[in-house]
Amino acid sequence: MTGVNGDLTRLSLNQETIKQWSLPELAEGCVKAGVPGVGLWRAPVQEYGVEAAARLIRDAGLTVTSLCRGGFFTAIDPAERAAALADNRAAIDEAATLGTDTLVLVSGGLPPGSRDLFAARERIADALAELAPYAADRGVRLAIEPLHPMYASDRCVVSTLAQALDLAERFPAEQVGVVVDTYHLWWDDTVATQITRAGAGGRLASFQLADWITPLPEGVLLGRGQLGDGSVDFRWFRERVDATGFTGPIEVEIFNPALWARDGAEVLAEVADRYRTLVL
């Protein structure tokens, strides 16, 4: 299902795309622009107050399409693992309060001194086994997001959609799904097959957009590009995601200081225009 006549009925604005906006500004701006969904991040939501944020977004008539983030499951130290599990239970509770059924997971990189990717992924599976039933009881699905391989050492040892599905498929589909993020997956020549696999198994929990631009900035984390400024074929991704029967929100999540330095309403108008011309 695509938008009709370029409408924005599936568009969601991730909070980090216009980081300069407060939560009230985000709600007001999305309502004015006709954008029905928002993806939220835990730190600014906690600062505002989780229940207050839930009320603000609900009263604005908006939908929270995802909460980011849980994860970081790869620690070896028992105390660190226990702390991560406790933090993820808190994240699940926050997602439930906000009314979203999707908690995005950034699974964690290699612990200091370790080079064992396989063991790190097994620790992710162990954490999911503990957390998935807890999340399901609260109406929240855990969504494993594969990150580009350049983040494997420090942020996420899950680098491909196939790896994410290999983990997710150990659990019921209603408990653990996956995220398709164009920024992280555009380079993978198996991604079409894996999107089909995810759809067939009912695993598609979230679909996110950002462009890949080069040269990458120092630190690489804040190098996501505005739609259309880089190498990603967004319509190609959208068509393959839609072909699975996925009709959920399409969330634009961009980390870019140049966008944060601009007027938020101007950035949102540009996002909406690029979405209409490049995605639909």
Side-chain angles (χ1 to χ4, degrees):
M1 173 181 167
T2 64
V4 178
N5 298 323
D7 70 53
L8 304 179
T9 54
R10 292 176 66 190
L11 180 60
S12 173
L13 179 72
N14 188 279
Q15 185 173 15
E16 286 291 287
T17 304
I18 308 181
K19 189 176 182 177
Q20 62 271 38
W21 269 354
S22 66
L23 264 172
E25 288 171 333
L26 176 72
E28 181 182 4
C30 285
V31 169
K32 285 183 177 179
V35 175
V38 291
L40 299 181
W41 278 68
R42 293 181 67 198
V45 166
Q46 289 169 349
E47 183 178 350
Y48 190 81
V50 179
E51 292 186 1
R55 187 166 52 250
L56 172 73
I57 300 300
R58 184 174 60 249
D59 290 350
L62 300 171
T63 299
V64 181
T65 57
S66 71
L67 179 65
C68 198
R69 63 188 185 225
F72 291 92
F73 299 132
T74 54
I76 296 172
D77 177 77
E80 291 180 16
R81 287 187 60 74
L85 290 171
D87 183 61
N88 275 272
R89 291 188 188 96
I92 291 163
D93 293 342
E94 291 162 13
T97 299
L98 292 166
T100 181
D101 60 1
T102 303
L103 176 65
V104 175
L105 303 180
V106 175
S107 297
L110 287 171
S114 173
R115 295 178 175 84
D116 193 339
L117 290 166
F118 301 99
R121 293 183 189 124
E122 284 305 307
R123 288 193 294 277
I124 295 168
D126 291 343
L128 291 171
E130 290 199 41
L131 293 168
Y134 183 90
D137 286 346
R138 288 152 182 80
V140 175
R141 179 157 66 160
L142 305 178
I144 304 169
E145 180 172 14
L147 267 59
H148 190 281
M150 67 180 173
Y151 298 111
S153 63
D154 63 341
R155 289 185 180 275
C156 189
V157 297
V158 181
S159 301
T160 66
L161 191 54
Q163 290 170 353
L165 286 165
D166 287 346
L167 284 166
E169 287 168 354
R170 302 189 193 191
F171 307 94
E174 65 272 16
Q175 293 185 8
V176 183
V178 296
V179 179
V180 171
D181 186 322
T182 61
Y183 177 78
H184 294 300
L185 299 176
W186 73 276
W187 58 275
D188 185 352
D189 62 1
T190 72
V191 73
T193 300
Q194 298 305 322
I195 288 172
T196 299
R197 173 185 168 191
R203 300 283 174 177
L204 271 171
S206 179
F207 179 33
Q208 297 182 330
L209 309 180
D211 217 337
W212 179 276
I213 53 175
T214 48
L216 296 172
E218 183 177 356
V220 306
L221 184 62
L222 306 183
R224 296 181 179 218
Q226 172 64 285
L227 309 185
D229 285 355
S231 306
V232 178
D233 186 339
F234 294 104
R235 186 169 291 111
W236 183 95
F237 268 92
R238 197 267 303 156
E239 287 173 347
R240 278 145 189 82
V241 167
D242 281 1
T244 70
F246 180 84
T247 59
I250 301 173
E251 188 174 307
V252 176
E253 182 189 57
I254 304 170
F255 314 150
N256 189 308
L259 295 184
W260 298 338
R262 293 170 53 190
D263 175 75
E266 177 186 284
V267 173
L268 182 51
E270 184 175 88
V271 165
D273 181 62
R274 303 281 183 96
Y275 173 84
R276 288 187 181 99
T277 57
L278 299 171
V279 181
L280 297 181

